[in-house]
Amino acid sequence: MEEQREKLRSWLKEKLDAGGARVRVKDLTDEMLEIHGVKPGRFRQLFSQTVQQFVTAHIGGAEAAAWSKDDDFSGRGLAQGEKDMRAQRAARFQKHLNEKTPVAMVSFDAEVGTIDGGPMIGELVGMCSRDEAKEREMTRQLDKFEWKKGTDPRQPEVDLRLACKKYQRSSADKAYKSQDVRSLDACWKTMEYLMREILDFDSNPKPGYAIQAIPYIEVYSFLRDRTRSIRVDLHLQQPRSTTQRIFVETHECCLRFEMLSLYLLLGRGQNKEATEKYDTKLGLKAISQTIEPLLNAYQAIHEKQLAKSILAEAMGGFGLDDDDQEDYGSPFEMASRRYIVLLLMSFAPDEVSSHLSKMHRELLMHPLVSFATEVYAAFHTENYARFLRMYREADFLSAVAMSGVADLARMRALWLLVRTYPQQVGDKIALGKLKNILAFASDDHAKSFLAFHGLQIVIDKEWAGGAYIVLPKKGTPEAASLPLLQGGARLPEKCEYPKGADSLLIAKFDSLGLTRAEIALGNADPIAPEVEEAEAEAEAEEAAEKEAEESEPMDAGVEPLTVVC
């Protein structure tokens, strides 16, 4: 190629030096094709410029104007002023046409993220770089959890041991550098620190921090920003990071954290004196930002494992590395998919059908996922008694995901009950029975809900629950004033009962006996029945083997072996 380029350049210079402005580009192009077999496209590939640009750069200003005047491609019919302007422009940019600036190769391969041929790899091993921490100290962007103990709140100093990288919005002129992006291990280290040290700070303050008393809403605000920053660092290292354990576990942890916060901030743990207020829409937006990459990671892992299995079958296992640990199959995947279906049912019901249609049959048939589909079916077929029974039996985080429509299901179940009792004679129903039907965990919560909807509660210790509910006789003033008996025959569209702490969720949370960090890290996730049975059988076999070894008598005629190293 270099030899052809030099021969062609020499030939062109000779032609231009001999003919000058009298040389026509069209004639030059035809002759070049006939003699050297080089087309205009090939010429442009060799010289990174067209034949016209080469000629203009070689013959220069005044001659270029004369040459342009005689050339077929110069644009006939132009005014003399326009022609002069073009000649001046050609002379002005003559120097730039001769200069060649190296351009980085561009690849459309998904595996290539940088010019050197690979995706970005984070090099920052700490939770935050020193430069960012000092810059945020000068610009007063430090959070209270990052202050040095004993510092002046009016001019706080940063504690580098406690500083965590802050989320920054991307912009067109923002360039990410490997030294500013945390490695995968550093991302998980930061996540563990946030969950174990900060998540329960409102109820369990730590002595090494500058602050002690703080409401959970401020804890949540800090954690939401810093976990989002972790997800950004992981996404910058895609696709290398997508199928790795840290990517999946971090997003699963973020999902549980947002669901736990949904429970804590809608009543339990919400401080009325806090300056900030929890916005459910922002919380759900954070959940959706976590769900999408998590589902994509699950899909990428399954596709990669399938491709490997096909390749292994075709090659008989030859050439495959059995020690490859990059592809991670999460044991929490089915629990996370269960949460996602239940969250969609509660907060985005129009998207449930579309989401389920994208799941293959094996996923839908899994016990953990099928529970969610049964809950969805019960609610949308107006079987509210079954929905509330499943709500009562569900694990804590599944119940949190269902809680978005729990009060509406209770109200509709109560509406159906009031519409179907024998109104000609009236009726009474024990508080304990109604509390069980509507899935309440405390008498006070049940009484509050029933009284809000206009039902009369009579205290009587002889009845289950210590009281009974009066269902009024038709035609009485009580029946005429009961809101549940008013209106048409359509089910209520929404429940106006004030959203707050749900006694059933509080009871489930207290019965767990786990810390918030343990819940966020997956210790409260449900386990499929067959997995529980397999674990129980394995434990039983291990215990039996151990008992047999301990009870087996030693033969008196056999001396114990002594191993000499």
Short mmCIF file of all heavy atoms in Angstrom, two decimals, residues 82-142:
data_model
loop_
_atom_site.label_atom_id
_atom_site.label_comp_id
_atom_site.label_asym_id
_atom_site.label_seq_id
_atom_site.Cartn_x
_atom_site.Cartn_y
_atom_site.Cartn_z
N GLU A 82 -18.31 34.94 -5.96
CA GLU A 82 -18.40 33.62 -5.33
C GLU A 82 -17.19 32.77 -5.68
O GLU A 82 -16.65 32.05 -4.84
CB GLU A 82 -19.69 32.93 -5.77
CG GLU A 82 -19.90 31.54 -5.19
CD GLU A 82 -20.12 31.57 -3.70
OE1 GLU A 82 -20.50 32.64 -3.17
OE2 GLU A 82 -19.91 30.53 -3.06
N LYS A 83 -16.74 32.87 -6.95
CA LYS A 83 -15.58 32.09 -7.35
C LYS A 83 -14.32 32.56 -6.62
O LYS A 83 -13.48 31.76 -6.19
CB LYS A 83 -15.38 32.22 -8.86
CG LYS A 83 -16.49 31.55 -9.67
CD LYS A 83 -16.25 31.72 -11.16
CE LYS A 83 -17.37 31.05 -11.97
NZ LYS A 83 -17.16 31.23 -13.43
N ASP A 84 -14.19 33.90 -6.46
CA ASP A 84 -13.04 34.41 -5.73
C ASP A 84 -13.06 33.95 -4.27
O ASP A 84 -12.02 33.64 -3.69
CB ASP A 84 -13.02 35.95 -5.79
CG ASP A 84 -12.77 36.45 -7.22
OD1 ASP A 84 -12.26 35.64 -8.03
OD2 ASP A 84 -13.10 37.61 -7.49
N MET A 85 -14.26 33.95 -3.70
CA MET A 85 -14.40 33.52 -2.30
C MET A 85 -13.98 32.06 -2.13
O MET A 85 -13.30 31.68 -1.17
CB MET A 85 -15.85 33.71 -1.84
CG MET A 85 -16.07 33.45 -0.35
SD MET A 85 -17.79 33.66 0.11
CE MET A 85 -18.02 35.39 -0.31
N ARG A 86 -14.36 31.21 -3.11
CA ARG A 86 -13.98 29.80 -3.04
C ARG A 86 -12.46 29.64 -3.17
O ARG A 86 -11.85 28.81 -2.49
CB ARG A 86 -14.66 29.02 -4.16
CG ARG A 86 -16.16 28.83 -3.94
CD ARG A 86 -16.73 27.86 -4.96
NE ARG A 86 -18.14 27.61 -4.70
CZ ARG A 86 -18.85 26.68 -5.32
NH1 ARG A 86 -18.27 25.94 -6.25
NH2 ARG A 86 -20.12 26.51 -5.03
N ALA A 87 -11.87 30.45 -4.06
CA ALA A 87 -10.42 30.38 -4.22
C ALA A 87 -9.70 30.79 -2.94
O ALA A 87 -8.71 30.17 -2.54
CB ALA A 87 -9.98 31.26 -5.39
N GLN A 88 -10.20 31.85 -2.29
CA GLN A 88 -9.59 32.29 -1.03
C GLN A 88 -9.74 31.24 0.07
O GLN A 88 -8.83 31.01 0.86
CB GLN A 88 -10.23 33.62 -0.60
CG GLN A 88 -9.91 34.80 -1.51
CD GLN A 88 -10.70 36.03 -1.13
OE1 GLN A 88 -11.39 36.05 -0.11
NE2 GLN A 88 -10.59 37.08 -1.97
N ARG A 89 -10.91 30.59 0.09
CA ARG A 89 -11.14 29.55 1.09
C ARG A 89 -10.19 28.38 0.87
O ARG A 89 -9.63 27.82 1.82
CB ARG A 89 -12.58 29.07 1.02
CG ARG A 89 -12.94 28.10 2.15
CD ARG A 89 -14.35 27.57 2.02
NE ARG A 89 -15.32 28.64 2.05
CZ ARG A 89 -16.16 28.92 1.07
NH1 ARG A 89 -16.13 28.19 -0.04
NH2 ARG A 89 -17.03 29.91 1.16
N ALA A 90 -9.98 28.00 -0.38
CA ALA A 90 -9.06 26.91 -0.69
C ALA A 90 -7.64 27.25 -0.25
O ALA A 90 -6.92 26.41 0.29
CB ALA A 90 -9.09 26.60 -2.18
N ALA A 91 -7.23 28.50 -0.47
CA ALA A 91 -5.88 28.91 -0.06
C ALA A 91 -5.77 28.96 1.47
O ALA A 91 -4.74 28.60 2.04
CB ALA A 91 -5.55 30.28 -0.67
N ARG A 92 -6.85 29.44 2.14
CA ARG A 92 -6.81 29.58 3.59
C ARG A 92 -6.68 28.24 4.30
O ARG A 92 -6.02 28.12 5.33
CB ARG A 92 -8.07 30.33 4.06
CG ARG A 92 -8.02 30.70 5.54
CD ARG A 92 -9.09 31.70 5.89
NE ARG A 92 -10.43 31.19 5.72
CZ ARG A 92 -11.28 31.61 4.79
NH1 ARG A 92 -10.87 32.53 3.92
NH2 ARG A 92 -12.49 31.11 4.68
N PHE A 93 -7.34 27.22 3.73
CA PHE A 93 -7.32 25.91 4.38
C PHE A 93 -6.29 24.97 3.76
O PHE A 93 -6.33 23.77 4.00
CB PHE A 93 -8.71 25.27 4.31
CG PHE A 93 -9.71 25.94 5.20
CD1 PHE A 93 -10.63 26.84 4.69
CD2 PHE A 93 -9.72 25.69 6.56
CE1 PHE A 93 -11.54 27.46 5.51
CE2 PHE A 93 -10.64 26.31 7.39
CZ PHE A 93 -11.55 27.21 6.86
N GLN A 94 -5.40 25.53 2.97
CA GLN A 94 -4.39 24.71 2.32
C GLN A 94 -3.51 24.01 3.36
O GLN A 94 -3.20 22.83 3.25
CB GLN A 94 -3.54 25.58 1.41
CG GLN A 94 -2.40 24.83 0.72
CD GLN A 94 -1.59 25.78 -0.14
OE1 GLN A 94 -1.97 26.93 -0.29
NE2 GLN A 94 -0.49 25.29 -0.67
N LYS A 95 -3.14 24.75 4.38
CA LYS A 95 -2.27 24.19 5.41
C LYS A 95 -2.95 23.04 6.14
O LYS A 95 -2.36 22.00 6.42
CB LYS A 95 -1.88 25.30 6.41
CG LYS A 95 -0.96 24.80 7.51
CD LYS A 95 -0.63 25.92 8.49
CE LYS A 95 -1.88 26.31 9.28
NZ LYS A 95 -1.56 27.26 10.37
N HIS A 96 -4.27 23.20 6.43
CA HIS A 96 -4.99 22.17 7.17
C HIS A 96 -5.18 20.91 6.34
O HIS A 96 -5.24 19.80 6.87
CB HIS A 96 -6.36 22.70 7.60
CG HIS A 96 -6.26 23.90 8.48
ND1 HIS A 96 -5.91 23.82 9.80
CD2 HIS A 96 -6.45 25.22 8.22
CE1 HIS A 96 -5.90 25.02 10.34
NE2 HIS A 96 -6.23 25.90 9.39
N LEU A 97 -5.26 21.08 5.02
CA LEU A 97 -5.44 19.91 4.17
C LEU A 97 -4.20 19.05 4.14
O LEU A 97 -4.28 17.84 3.94
CB LEU A 97 -5.79 20.35 2.74
CG LEU A 97 -7.18 21.00 2.57
CD1 LEU A 97 -7.31 21.56 1.16
CD2 LEU A 97 -8.28 20.00 2.84
N ASN A 98 -3.05 19.66 4.36
CA ASN A 98 -1.80 18.91 4.33
C ASN A 98 -1.53 18.22 5.66
O ASN A 98 -0.74 17.29 5.73
CB ASN A 98 -0.62 19.83 3.98
CG ASN A 98 -0.69 20.28 2.54
OD1 ASN A 98 -1.17 19.56 1.68
ND2 ASN A 98 -0.19 21.49 2.28
N GLU A 99 -2.14 18.71 6.74
CA GLU A 99 -1.91 18.12 8.05
C GLU A 99 -2.82 16.91 8.24
O GLU A 99 -4.00 16.94 7.88
CB GLU A 99 -2.20 19.15 9.15
CG GLU A 99 -1.22 20.31 9.14
CD GLU A 99 -1.54 21.30 10.23
OE1 GLU A 99 -2.56 21.11 10.91
OE2 GLU A 99 -0.79 22.26 10.39
N LYS A 100 -2.30 15.87 8.83
CA LYS A 100 -3.06 14.65 9.09
C LYS A 100 -3.10 14.41 10.59
O LYS A 100 -2.05 14.29 11.22
CB LYS A 100 -2.44 13.45 8.39
CG LYS A 100 -2.47 13.57 6.86
CD LYS A 100 -1.87 12.33 6.22
CE LYS A 100 -1.88 12.44 4.71
NZ LYS A 100 -1.29 11.26 4.07
N THR A 101 -4.29 14.37 11.14
CA THR A 101 -4.46 14.12 12.57
C THR A 101 -4.88 12.68 12.78
O THR A 101 -5.85 12.23 12.18
CB THR A 101 -5.54 15.05 13.15
OG1 THR A 101 -5.18 16.38 12.87
CG2 THR A 101 -5.68 14.85 14.65
N PRO A 102 -4.14 11.93 13.59
CA PRO A 102 -4.52 10.54 13.82
C PRO A 102 -5.89 10.45 14.51
O PRO A 102 -6.17 11.17 15.47
CB PRO A 102 -3.40 10.01 14.74
CG PRO A 102 -2.82 11.24 15.37
CD PRO A 102 -2.97 12.34 14.37
N VAL A 103 -6.74 9.59 14.01
CA VAL A 103 -8.09 9.41 14.55
C VAL A 103 -8.20 8.03 15.17
O VAL A 103 -7.78 7.03 14.56
CB VAL A 103 -9.15 9.57 13.44
CG1 VAL A 103 -10.55 9.38 14.00
CG2 VAL A 103 -9.02 10.94 12.80
N ALA A 104 -8.77 7.94 16.38
CA ALA A 104 -8.93 6.65 17.04
C ALA A 104 -9.91 5.77 16.27
O ALA A 104 -10.88 6.26 15.71
CB ALA A 104 -9.44 6.86 18.48
N MET A 105 -9.62 4.48 16.25
CA MET A 105 -10.51 3.55 15.57
C MET A 105 -11.83 3.46 16.30
O MET A 105 -11.89 3.47 17.54
CB MET A 105 -9.86 2.16 15.51
CG MET A 105 -8.59 2.12 14.68
SD MET A 105 -8.90 2.52 12.95
CE MET A 105 -9.88 1.11 12.48
N VAL A 106 -12.91 3.38 15.59
CA VAL A 106 -14.25 3.28 16.16
C VAL A 106 -14.77 1.88 15.93
O VAL A 106 -14.68 1.35 14.82
CB VAL A 106 -15.21 4.31 15.52
CG1 VAL A 106 -16.60 4.16 16.12
CG2 VAL A 106 -14.68 5.70 15.75
N SER A 107 -15.27 1.25 16.98
CA SER A 107 -15.79 -0.11 16.86
C SER A 107 -17.23 -0.13 17.32
O SER A 107 -17.61 0.53 18.28
CB SER A 107 -14.95 -1.07 17.72
OG SER A 107 -15.55 -2.35 17.74
N PHE A 108 -18.04 -0.89 16.62
CA PHE A 108 -19.44 -1.06 17.00
C PHE A 108 -19.66 -2.36 17.75
O PHE A 108 -20.78 -2.80 17.96
CB PHE A 108 -20.34 -1.03 15.75
CG PHE A 108 -20.33 0.31 15.08
CD1 PHE A 108 -19.47 0.58 14.04
CD2 PHE A 108 -21.16 1.32 15.54
CE1 PHE A 108 -19.46 1.82 13.43
CE2 PHE A 108 -21.14 2.58 14.93
CZ PHE A 108 -20.30 2.83 13.88
N ASP A 109 -18.56 -3.00 18.14
CA ASP A 109 -18.66 -4.24 18.91
C ASP A 109 -19.08 -3.91 20.33
O ASP A 109 -18.50 -3.06 20.98
CB ASP A 109 -17.30 -4.95 18.92
CG ASP A 109 -17.36 -6.31 19.56
OD1 ASP A 109 -18.43 -6.68 20.05
OD2 ASP A 109 -16.33 -7.01 19.56
N ALA A 110 -20.07 -4.62 20.85
CA ALA A 110 -20.57 -4.34 22.20
C ALA A 110 -19.53 -4.61 23.26
O ALA A 110 -19.61 -4.09 24.36
CB ALA A 110 -21.82 -5.19 22.48
N GLU A 111 -18.53 -5.47 22.95
CA GLU A 111 -17.54 -5.80 23.94
C GLU A 111 -16.47 -4.73 24.08
O GLU A 111 -15.63 -4.80 24.94
CB GLU A 111 -16.86 -7.14 23.58
CG GLU A 111 -17.81 -8.32 23.58
CD GLU A 111 -18.29 -8.66 24.96
OE1 GLU A 111 -17.55 -8.39 25.92
OE2 GLU A 111 -19.39 -9.18 25.10
N VAL A 112 -16.47 -3.76 23.18
CA VAL A 112 -15.42 -2.73 23.19
C VAL A 112 -15.98 -1.46 23.78
O VAL A 112 -16.95 -0.91 23.30
CB VAL A 112 -14.90 -2.47 21.76
CG1 VAL A 112 -13.85 -1.38 21.79
CG2 VAL A 112 -14.34 -3.75 21.17
N GLY A 113 -15.34 -0.99 24.88
CA GLY A 113 -15.83 0.22 25.51
C GLY A 113 -14.85 1.36 25.49
O GLY A 113 -15.19 2.49 25.75
N THR A 114 -13.59 1.07 25.21
CA THR A 114 -12.58 2.12 25.18
C THR A 114 -11.73 1.95 23.94
O THR A 114 -11.80 0.94 23.24
CB THR A 114 -11.69 2.04 26.44
OG1 THR A 114 -11.12 0.73 26.50
CG2 THR A 114 -12.48 2.30 27.69
N ILE A 115 -10.88 2.94 23.66
CA ILE A 115 -10.07 2.94 22.45
C ILE A 115 -9.09 1.78 22.43
O ILE A 115 -8.77 1.23 21.39
CB ILE A 115 -9.33 4.28 22.32
CG1 ILE A 115 -10.35 5.40 22.08
CG2 ILE A 115 -8.31 4.26 21.20
CD1 ILE A 115 -9.74 6.77 22.05
N ASP A 116 -8.62 1.36 23.63
CA ASP A 116 -7.63 0.29 23.65
C ASP A 116 -8.26 -1.09 23.49
O ASP A 116 -7.57 -2.09 23.60
CB ASP A 116 -6.82 0.34 24.95
CG ASP A 116 -7.71 0.21 26.18
OD1 ASP A 116 -8.93 0.03 26.02
OD2 ASP A 116 -7.17 0.28 27.28
N GLY A 117 -9.56 -1.16 23.24
CA GLY A 117 -10.16 -2.43 22.87
C GLY A 117 -10.86 -3.16 23.99
O GLY A 117 -11.25 -4.31 23.80
N GLY A 118 -11.06 -2.61 25.15
CA GLY A 118 -11.73 -3.30 26.24
C GLY A 118 -12.63 -2.37 27.01
O GLY A 118 -12.55 -1.15 26.89
N PRO A 119 -13.55 -2.92 27.82
CA PRO A 119 -14.43 -2.08 28.63
C PRO A 119 -13.68 -1.39 29.75
O PRO A 119 -12.56 -1.78 30.09
CB PRO A 119 -15.44 -3.09 29.18
CG PRO A 119 -14.70 -4.38 29.21
CD PRO A 119 -13.78 -4.35 28.03
N MET A 120 -14.29 -0.37 30.33
CA MET A 120 -13.66 0.34 31.43
C MET A 120 -13.51 -0.58 32.63
O MET A 120 -14.41 -1.33 32.97
CB MET A 120 -14.48 1.57 31.80
CG MET A 120 -13.89 2.36 32.96
SD MET A 120 -14.83 3.85 33.35
CE MET A 120 -14.38 4.88 31.95
N ILE A 121 -12.38 -0.52 33.27
CA ILE A 121 -12.10 -1.30 34.47
C ILE A 121 -11.79 -0.33 35.59
O ILE A 121 -10.83 0.44 35.51
CB ILE A 121 -10.94 -2.28 34.26
CG1 ILE A 121 -11.29 -3.28 33.15
CG2 ILE A 121 -10.60 -3.01 35.55
CD1 ILE A 121 -10.18 -4.24 32.83
N GLY A 122 -12.59 -0.34 36.64
CA GLY A 122 -12.39 0.58 37.75
C GLY A 122 -11.09 0.31 38.48
O GLY A 122 -10.72 -0.85 38.72
N GLU A 123 -10.40 1.38 38.85
CA GLU A 123 -9.11 1.25 39.54
C GLU A 123 -9.16 1.79 40.96
O GLU A 123 -8.22 1.58 41.73
CB GLU A 123 -8.03 2.01 38.75
CG GLU A 123 -7.82 1.47 37.34
CD GLU A 123 -6.82 2.29 36.56
OE1 GLU A 123 -6.30 3.28 37.12
OE2 GLU A 123 -6.54 1.94 35.38
N LEU A 124 -10.23 2.48 41.33
CA LEU A 124 -10.34 3.05 42.68
C LEU A 124 -10.68 1.94 43.67
O LEU A 124 -11.69 1.26 43.53
CB LEU A 124 -11.42 4.13 42.70
CG LEU A 124 -11.63 4.86 44.03
CD1 LEU A 124 -10.37 5.60 44.45
CD2 LEU A 124 -12.79 5.84 43.91
N VAL A 125 -9.83 1.76 44.68
CA VAL A 125 -10.03 0.66 45.64
C VAL A 125 -10.71 1.12 46.92
O VAL A 125 -11.10 0.29 47.74
CB VAL A 125 -8.68 -0.01 45.97
CG1 VAL A 125 -8.08 -0.65 44.74
CG2 VAL A 125 -7.70 1.01 46.57
N GLY A 126 -10.86 2.41 47.10
CA GLY A 126 -11.53 2.93 48.29
C GLY A 126 -12.98 3.28 48.00
O GLY A 126 -13.46 3.17 46.88
N MET A 127 -13.69 3.73 49.04
CA MET A 127 -15.09 4.11 48.87
C MET A 127 -15.23 5.46 48.18
O MET A 127 -16.25 5.75 47.58
CB MET A 127 -15.80 4.12 50.23
CG MET A 127 -15.86 2.77 50.92
SD MET A 127 -16.98 2.73 52.34
CE MET A 127 -16.22 3.94 53.42
N CYS A 128 -14.18 6.28 48.28
CA CYS A 128 -14.20 7.60 47.63
C CYS A 128 -12.76 8.04 47.42
O CYS A 128 -11.89 7.77 48.25
CB CYS A 128 -14.95 8.60 48.51
SG CYS A 128 -15.07 10.26 47.83
N SER A 129 -12.51 8.71 46.32
CA SER A 129 -11.16 9.21 46.07
C SER A 129 -10.88 10.43 46.95
O SER A 129 -11.80 11.17 47.32
CB SER A 129 -11.00 9.60 44.60
OG SER A 129 -11.83 10.70 44.28
N ARG A 130 -9.61 10.63 47.26
CA ARG A 130 -9.22 11.77 48.09
C ARG A 130 -9.55 13.09 47.39
O ARG A 130 -10.01 14.04 48.04
CB ARG A 130 -7.72 11.69 48.38
CG ARG A 130 -7.17 12.84 49.22
CD ARG A 130 -5.68 12.66 49.41
NE ARG A 130 -5.38 11.49 50.20
CZ ARG A 130 -5.29 11.48 51.54
NH1 ARG A 130 -5.49 12.60 52.21
NH2 ARG A 130 -5.01 10.38 52.18
N ASP A 131 -9.37 13.15 46.09
CA ASP A 131 -9.63 14.40 45.36
C ASP A 131 -11.10 14.78 45.44
O ASP A 131 -11.43 15.95 45.67
CB ASP A 131 -9.22 14.23 43.89
CG ASP A 131 -7.71 14.11 43.73
OD1 ASP A 131 -6.99 14.50 44.66
OD2 ASP A 131 -7.27 13.61 42.67
N GLU A 132 -11.99 13.81 45.25
CA GLU A 132 -13.42 14.12 45.32
C GLU A 132 -13.82 14.54 46.73
O GLU A 132 -14.58 15.50 46.92
CB GLU A 132 -14.27 12.92 44.91
CG GLU A 132 -15.76 13.22 44.96
CD GLU A 132 -16.64 11.98 44.85
OE1 GLU A 132 -16.23 11.04 44.14
OE2 GLU A 132 -17.73 11.97 45.46
N ALA A 133 -13.28 13.84 47.74
CA ALA A 133 -13.62 14.17 49.13
C ALA A 133 -13.19 15.60 49.47
O ALA A 133 -13.95 16.36 50.08
CB ALA A 133 -12.96 13.17 50.07
N LYS A 134 -11.99 15.98 49.06
CA LYS A 134 -11.50 17.33 49.36
C LYS A 134 -12.27 18.38 48.56
O LYS A 134 -12.55 19.48 49.07
CB LYS A 134 -10.00 17.41 49.03
CG LYS A 134 -9.12 16.63 50.00
CD LYS A 134 -9.24 17.18 51.41
CE LYS A 134 -8.33 16.46 52.38
NZ LYS A 134 -8.48 16.95 53.78
N GLU A 135 -12.62 18.05 47.33
CA GLU A 135 -13.39 19.00 46.53
C GLU A 135 -14.77 19.24 47.13
O GLU A 135 -15.23 20.38 47.22
CB GLU A 135 -13.53 18.47 45.10
CG GLU A 135 -14.32 19.40 44.20
CD GLU A 135 -14.52 18.82 42.81
OE1 GLU A 135 -13.97 17.74 42.52
OE2 GLU A 135 -15.24 19.45 42.00
N ARG A 136 -15.42 18.17 47.60
CA ARG A 136 -16.74 18.33 48.22
C ARG A 136 -16.63 19.02 49.57
O ARG A 136 -17.57 19.66 50.02
CB ARG A 136 -17.44 16.98 48.35
CG ARG A 136 -17.88 16.42 47.01
CD ARG A 136 -18.94 15.36 47.13
NE ARG A 136 -18.42 14.09 47.59
CZ ARG A 136 -18.74 13.50 48.73
NH1 ARG A 136 -19.58 14.09 49.56
NH2 ARG A 136 -18.24 12.33 49.06
N GLU A 137 -15.49 18.87 50.23
CA GLU A 137 -15.28 19.60 51.49
C GLU A 137 -15.22 21.10 51.21
O GLU A 137 -15.83 21.90 51.94
CB GLU A 137 -13.99 19.12 52.14
CG GLU A 137 -13.65 19.85 53.43
CD GLU A 137 -12.31 19.40 53.99
OE1 GLU A 137 -11.28 19.98 53.57
OE2 GLU A 137 -12.29 18.48 54.82
N MET A 138 -14.50 21.50 50.16
CA MET A 138 -14.38 22.92 49.83
C MET A 138 -15.70 23.51 49.33
O MET A 138 -16.00 24.68 49.58
CB MET A 138 -13.28 23.12 48.78
CG MET A 138 -11.88 22.85 49.31
SD MET A 138 -10.59 23.27 48.10
CE MET A 138 -10.92 22.07 46.83
N THR A 139 -16.49 22.71 48.63
CA THR A 139 -17.76 23.21 48.08
C THR A 139 -18.94 22.94 49.00
O THR A 139 -20.08 23.15 48.60
CB THR A 139 -18.02 22.55 46.71
OG1 THR A 139 -17.99 21.12 46.85
CG2 THR A 139 -16.97 22.99 45.70
N ARG A 140 -18.67 22.48 50.23
CA ARG A 140 -19.70 22.24 51.26
C ARG A 140 -20.77 21.27 50.74
O ARG A 140 -21.97 21.50 50.88
CB ARG A 140 -20.34 23.57 51.68
CG ARG A 140 -19.36 24.56 52.28
CD ARG A 140 -20.04 25.84 52.68
NE ARG A 140 -21.03 25.61 53.73
CZ ARG A 140 -20.77 25.57 55.03
NH1 ARG A 140 -19.53 25.74 55.44
NH2 ARG A 140 -21.73 25.39 55.90
N GLN A 141 -20.33 20.17 50.15
CA GLN A 141 -21.24 19.14 49.67
C GLN A 141 -21.09 17.84 50.45
O GLN A 141 -21.52 16.78 50.01
CB GLN A 141 -20.99 18.85 48.19
CG GLN A 141 -21.29 20.02 47.27
CD GLN A 141 -21.15 19.64 45.81
OE1 GLN A 141 -21.66 18.63 45.36
NE2 GLN A 141 -20.43 20.45 45.06
N LEU A 142 -20.49 17.92 51.63
CA LEU A 142 -20.34 16.73 52.47
C LEU A 142 -21.65 16.41 53.17
O LEU A 142 -22.40 17.30 53.57
CB LEU A 142 -19.25 16.96 53.52
CG LEU A 142 -17.81 17.09 53.03
CD1 LEU A 142 -16.90 17.42 54.20
CD2 LEU A 142 -17.37 15.81 52.34
#
